[in-house]
Amino acid sequence: MTFSRTEPAAAAAVVSPPIRVGLLGIGTVGSGTFRVLHRNQAEIRRRAGRGIEIAVVADLDVARARSVVGDAVPVVADARQVIADPSIDVVIELIGGYGIARTLVLEAIAAGKHVVTANKALLAVHGSEIFAAASERGVVVAFEAAVAGGIPIIKALREGLTANRIEWIAGIINGTTNFILSEMRSKGLDFDVVLKEAQRLGYAEADPTFDIEGVDAAHKATIMSAIAFGTPVRFDRAHVEGITRLQAADIRYAEQLGYRIKLLGITKRRPEGIELRVHPTLIPTARLIANVEGAMNAVVVQGDAVGTTLYYGKGAGSEPTASAVIADLVDIARLQTADPEHRVPSLAFQPGSLSDTPVLPIDEVVTAFYLRLRVADEPGVLSKVTTILADRGISIDALLQRESGEGESQTDVIILTHDTVEGRMRDAVAAMQALPTVLAPIVSLRKEDLA
Ligand code: HSE
């Protein structure tokens, strides 16, 4: 082996011509990709063994695209011109959504191009069709940027942890909602107030539905679940709850009991099937992931050999997401020595080895619960509530009763339970709700120890 003090990349670059990349959509992530590729080109070439060249950009807003790339790179309005260009090796899809993006990705695959995409919605919903088409055509669809932005969680699950039987994954995989929850907790504010603030600061989009209703997190959890357990992507089986109904009072009570509330994407292997769910979750404050604040993301993965591992970083933004896009490009640049049968499979498991283990319905999920009941402050109320739980085999872990203020005839009772089957808890909540002494809708949140 020889080392050179200067420009060790030069020799490698002579051997292989640069890969030629067509970029579809040059918004926030696309411009970050262009910038980072340009800034770090020498370093990237030394790693990839060849250069990576953005050869053409397609964007409906040609003027904006030109303002990013200058005159050095041709800009076209029609993405199909890029796909039809035989000199293009790789197409990066940064358009987003399930519509035209799906058509263009399938056309690029059919044209024999490798595809890099940050489009979690597309893969979570149409991934099976897209991966099958790519496998058939012998090309790669790479998607590191689709989950947790700059955190290399796909690489970790697919390659770094490949020795393990993955047991569960729990992640804060939506920065917008984590920012909102952090603000609600630290400032004691209600959801609506913080959402407006998040929109003003640019953390939340004008239409924040996908983020606050948990859909974006569910797209990402769906992709991680498929890779972890070797199953097809099944977004339609995911249980999805957002944070819109969360109240400041519950964040406060959780804190008093030693918990933080986070929107988690969770997928777990159980003997009966796979749990796949997104919902606000109480986590012990002592866990590192409970202390992930603001717009940051973090993912905990439990493997049977490695134990618990934690991945933390920026889940969105121009250059963090570009970092993931370019990592995929480098992987593709190295492919020339691997025939399609011997590449890292898209979903980590060989296409013929995917299992059809079912995703469990939410009623069969097992978790602990936080319950808040607004009750009449009179004798016997608590005993009726605890009897309902005991009759259904639900064990209480902790109980907190807020002191009633002077002259108050109502009070909040907070109950933490041990693990139970969700269907049983649903039944218990219905029975408690029917008590005349329970005066408001019961708040029920799931709790995970992540131990
Ligand atoms: N809107 C997402 C978030 C980033 O808030 O984390 C892109 O998935």
Side-chain angles (χ1 to χ4, degrees):
M1 190 180 292
T2 55
F3 296 92
S4 147
R5 233 163 234 236
T6 55
E7 286 303 312
V14 173
V15 176
S16 306
I19 56 164
R20 286 173 55 80
V21 178
L23 178 55
L24 311 186
I26 189 156
T28 308
V29 178
S31 52
T33 302
F34 184 80
R35 219 168 34 244
V36 176
L37 265 179
H38 183 72
R39 187 170 74 231
N40 295 344
Q41 55 182 307
E43 198 84 345
I44 291 167
R45 192 184 316 116
R46 285 172 61 202
R47 291 193 171 119
R50 61 197 294 199
I52 296 173
E53 180 193 331
I54 303 265
V56 58
V57 172
D59 199 298
L60 289 175
D61 190 341
V62 173
R64 179 187 65 170
R66 184 143 313 291
S67 74
V68 177
V69 303
D71 294 328
V73 178
V75 176
V76 297
D78 180 5
R80 290 201 164 91
Q81 257 180 271
V82 177
I83 292 169
D85 181 342
S87 77
I88 295 296
D89 304 301
V90 186
V91 167
I92 307 179
E93 182 274 309
L94 298 174
I95 296 166
Y98 319 99
I100 186 67
R102 172 177 162 270
T103 308
L104 292 173
V105 163
L106 288 170
E107 286 181 10
I109 291 169
K113 319 278 186 212
H114 300 296
V115 173
V116 173
T117 178
N119 191 337
K120 60 230 82 175
L122 177 65
L123 295 181
V125 177
H126 297 291
S128 295
E129 176 191 21
I130 288 169
F131 294 129
S135 171
E136 176 101 338
R137 194 66 177 79
V139 297
V140 167
V141 173
F143 51 92
E144 183 65 69
V147 181
I151 304 175
I153 188 63
I154 300 300
K155 191 88 165 173
L157 286 171
R158 200 160 50 188
E159 298 179 50
L161 299 177
T162 197
N164 288 263
R165 193 175 151 83
I166 304 290
E167 289 163 354
W168 53 260
I169 301 173
I172 295 172
I173 42 181
N174 183 269
T176 306
T177 45
N178 203 49
F179 173 82
I180 292 173
L181 292 178
S182 300
E183 290 288 292
M184 286 176 73
R185 187 184 69 78
S186 63
K187 300 186 177 155
L189 296 172
D190 276 320
F191 171 79
D192 295 339
V193 178
V194 180
L195 173 62
K196 284 206 182 73
E197 179 67 357
Q199 283 173 316
R200 196 183 63 78
L201 293 171
Y203 282 109
E205 301 194 23
D207 179 1
T209 313
F210 262 34
D211 290 322
I212 62 179
E213 296 294 358
V215 178
D216 175 73
H219 287 147
K220 295 166 183 168
T222 298
I223 294 170
M224 289 197 291
S225 180
I227 292 174
F229 303 127
T231 64
V233 279
R234 294 176 295 193
F235 174 70
D236 58 334
R237 305 305 315 278
H239 175 83
V240 189
E241 276 174 47
I243 62 167
T244 50
R245 282 173 298 151
L246 209 54
Q247 296 174 39
D250 296 304
I251 293 178
R252 228 173 22 248
Y253 285 133
E255 191 87 347
Q256 285 172 27
L257 289 158
Y259 293 86
R260 295 259 163 94
I261 300 181
K262 296 290 184 187
L263 183 71
L264 289 189
I266 296 173
T267 187
K268 259 187 205 178
R269 189 199 292 272
R270 294 243 317 275
E272 306 83 0
I274 288 164
E275 295 185 2
L276 174 57
R277 49 196 166 94
V278 169
H279 49 72
T281 314
L282 275 77
I283 321 171
T285 308
R287 302 276 175 271
L288 284 172
I289 193 170
N291 295 280
V292 170
E293 297 287 30
M296 299 302 281
N297 280 202
V299 183
V300 183
V301 183
Q302 173 83 17
D304 67 338
V306 73
T308 308
T309 55
L310 171 69
Y311 309 83
Y312 169 84
K314 289 188 178 155
S318 180
E319 294 202 2
T321 312
S323 165
V325 168
I326 295 168
D328 282 342
L329 289 175
V330 170
D331 276 351
I332 288 170
R334 291 171 175 145
L335 281 183
Q336 52 185 0
T337 53
D339 56 66
E341 288 75 38
H342 297 100
R343 293 173 186 162
V344 179
S346 297
L347 289 176
F349 292 72
Q350 296 298 334
S353 299
L354 294 188
S355 90
D356 57 1
T357 315
V359 174
L360 296 172
I362 191 69
D363 266 5
E364 290 175 32
V365 159
V366 174
T367 62
F369 280 87
Y370 160 104
L371 304 174
R372 173 161 64 86
L373 294 85
R374 186 81 182 151
V375 296
D377 196 4
E378 57 187 53
V381 171
L382 207 51
S383 110
K384 287 205 183 77
V385 166
T386 55
T387 301
I388 286 173
L389 291 170
D391 285 351
R392 287 156 183 82
I394 300 171
S395 175
I396 293 174
D397 177 32
L399 201 143
L400 173 75
Q401 179 169 341
R402 196 190 64 109
E403 269 180 51
S404 327
E406 208 175 319
E408 271 185 334
S409 59
Q410 305 182 357
T411 189
D412 280 339
V413 171
I414 317 298
I415 298 173
L416 299 184
T417 75
H418 289 294
D419 277 354
T420 185
V421 177
E422 173 124 0
R424 236 186 267 176
M425 179 54 86
R426 195 185 298 278
D427 184 47
V429 167
M432 291 186 275
Q433 195 70 72
L435 294 172
T437 43
V438 172
L439 306 173
I442 296 171
V443 174
S444 155
L445 297 167
R446 299 177 191 88
K447 176 171 97 65
E448 295 279 347
D449 275 349
L450 304 183

